[in-house]
Amino acid sequence: MGNKSAVVLALLAAVLAVALVVEAKSKSKPKVCDKGWECKNSIYCCNDTITDFFQVYQFENLFSKRNAPVAHAVGYWDYQSFIIAASLYEPLGFGTTGGKQMQMREVAAFLGHVGSKTSCGYGVATGGPLAWGLCYNREMSPSQTYCDENDLYPCVEGAEYYGRGALPVYWNYNYGVIGEALKVDLLHHPEYLEQNATLAFQAAIWRWMTPIKKKQPSAHDVFVGNWKPTKNDTLSKRLPGFGTTMNILYGDLTCGQGFVDSMNNIISHYQYYLDLMGIGREFSGDNLDCAEQEPFNPSSKSDSATS
């Protein structure tokens, strides 16, 4: 009888041990949330989603002149296209990282880049030069063919690789890389980026969320604070903040040249959007510019999908 009791106790101990392991694992597993079509099965979905804090009227305020008669992409860009594109990246942290202020700031930062790169605003433009974002969806007068020899993404006869999209994409290899990531054949059909606003926003958000090279940060990571600069980064004056997003996206086309107009224009759009979204430019964050930063990737056509 004693032996039976010992066996029972041993079995109970084993069951208890298994139960404790299962409980520990369940506790260590991060909580994920599901908020329907916009954000599913991610820890980031437990935060506000973009539609919680960024409404149609705010999009209209930011891009108030995009459908003016003199704009070049009338009727193309809209709020729904942006939100549908964003929903693919919200589970990865786009606009869903940190508290509400950080989330709103990231949307303003991303759209600040978009607005500055698609603007047809000028000094005396009605509504001011910052009201004209999303005026374009394509480069109007390409200065070159943007076709470069590339074994992996060779130019396709009849296709043209001039700038298109919300963060304009240039060159055959960049269309190839982005198309591969989005599972859309942009190498053969680069024109899709000027025919489908959701795809154009999707390509831009992918670029925001994706490092150019391994062991380099994405614009998203440096903005929301996921990135810790190395000693070399610090010596190169690359620090977390909006300034380094410009370094990642444009390199020495914009950064390391002092306070040039191309850099100041992007910063101005970001701060203008912060004001319009009710955050205020006083919350622009540290390290706002990249005037003295050394580029992550010194000039080379192949280094930037938006250069």
Side-chain angles (χ1 to χ4, degrees), residues 198-271:
T198 299
L199 185 63
F201 274 127
Q202 188 182 344
I205 300 171
W206 178 87
R207 181 67 193 85
W208 176 262
M209 298 293 292
T210 307
I212 289 177
K213 294 180 177 178
K214 289 181 180 178
K215 298 185 179 179
Q216 290 186 3
S218 65
H220 165 78
D221 284 337
V222 304
F223 189 81
V224 302
N226 291 342
W227 173 63
K228 304 302 179 191
T230 64
K231 183 178 180 181
N232 182 57
D233 288 318
T234 303
L235 291 172
S236 301
K237 301 190 177 180
R238 299 189 295 253
L239 298 168
F242 186 77
T244 303
T245 69
M246 292 186 282
N247 191 325
I248 291 167
L249 295 175
Y250 321 117
D252 50 14
L253 294 173
T254 299
C255 299
Q257 302 180 46
F259 287 87
V260 294
D261 288 346
S262 58
M263 183 194 75
N264 292 335
N265 183 264
I266 300 167
I267 295 171
S268 294
H269 277 82
Y270 167 48
Q271 293 187 315

Side-chain angles (χ1 to χ4, degrees):
M1 191 72 181
N3 287 339
K4 284 185 178 180
S5 298
V7 170
V8 170
L9 288 172
L11 286 171
L12 287 172
V15 169
L16 180 60
V18 169
L20 289 171
V21 168
V22 170
E23 183 183 5
K25 283 186 176 179
S26 66
K27 284 183 177 178
S28 64
K29 190 176 181 180
K31 177 187 176 184
V32 298
C33 297
D34 188 333
K35 290 193 175 176
W37 65 271
E38 190 179 2
C39 199
K40 291 182 178 180
N41 197 34
S42 167
I43 58 172
Y44 295 108
C45 303
C46 300
N47 297 330
D48 283 345
T49 55
I50 292 175
T51 56
D52 288 328
F53 59 80
F54 187 62
Q55 310 294 322
V56 177
Y57 79 89
Q58 291 168 299
F59 182 89
E60 297 294 333
N61 286 343
L62 267 56
F63 304 109
S64 60
K65 299 295 182 181
R66 74 185 192 284
N67 290 325
V70 295
H72 298 279
V74 174
Y76 183 74
W77 303 105
D78 61 13
Y79 173 81
Q80 184 178 15
S81 297
F82 170 65
I83 293 299
I84 292 172
S87 70
L88 300 173
Y89 298 93
E90 289 184 62
L92 302 177
F94 176 68
T96 51
T97 298
K100 185 175 181 180
Q101 187 189 93
M102 174 57 79
Q103 295 173 251
M104 295 176 75
R105 286 178 56 224
E106 182 179 12
V107 170
F110 169 76
L111 291 177
H113 282 280
V114 168
S116 69
K117 292 299 176 181
T118 58
S119 175
C120 56
Y122 51 94
V124 294
T126 305
L130 302 177
W132 288 83
L134 295 180
C135 174
Y136 295 103
N137 63 356
R138 54 163 287 184
E139 185 180 10
M140 300 304 293
S141 301
S143 60
Q144 54 183 304
T145 62
Y146 300 106
C147 175
D148 188 68
E149 289 186 19
N150 187 283
D151 292 336
L152 195 56
Y153 304 111
C155 297
V156 174
E157 186 176 353
E160 297 182 63
Y161 300 105
Y162 54 76
R164 297 177 178 87
L167 286 178
V169 180
Y170 301 83
W171 299 99
N172 48 300
Y173 37 77
N174 289 321
Y175 277 94
V177 168
I178 293 173
E180 197 171 82
L182 303 186
K183 296 179 171 56
V184 177
D185 189 2
L186 294 180
L187 192 63
H188 284 79
H189 297 284
E191 70 276 6
Y192 287 169
L193 289 187
E194 59 181 285
Q195 295 174 349
N196 185 317
T198 299
L199 185 63
F201 274 127
Q202 188 182 344
I205 300 171
W206 178 87
R207 181 67 193 85
W208 176 262
M209 298 293 292
T210 307
I212 289 177
K213 294 180 177 178
K214 289 181 180 178
K215 298 185 179 179
Q216 290 186 3
S218 65
H220 165 78
D221 284 337
V222 304
F223 189 81
V224 302
N226 291 342
W227 173 63
K228 304 302 179 191
T230 64
K231 183 178 180 181
N232 182 57
D233 288 318
T234 303
L235 291 172
S236 301
K237 301 190 177 180
R238 299 189 295 253
L239 298 168
F242 186 77
T244 303
T245 69
M246 292 186 282
N247 191 325
I248 291 167
L249 295 175
Y250 321 117
D252 50 14
L253 294 173
T254 299
C255 299
Q257 302 180 46
F259 287 87
V260 294
D261 288 346
S262 58
M263 183 194 75
N264 292 335
N265 183 264
I266 300 167
I267 295 171
S268 294
H269 277 82
Y270 167 48
Q271 293 187 315
Y272 177 67
Y273 294 169
L274 284 175
D275 288 343
L276 288 181
M277 288 174 67
I279 306 164
R281 64 186 58 214
E282 63 269 28
F283 296 103
S284 299
D286 296 332
N287 309 311
L288 187 58
D289 68 83
C290 62
E292 298 181 356
Q293 289 186 17
E294 292 182 27
F296 282 101
N297 302 298
S299 276
S300 167
K301 298 188 296 293
S302 60
D303 279 339
S304 175
T306 56
S307 63

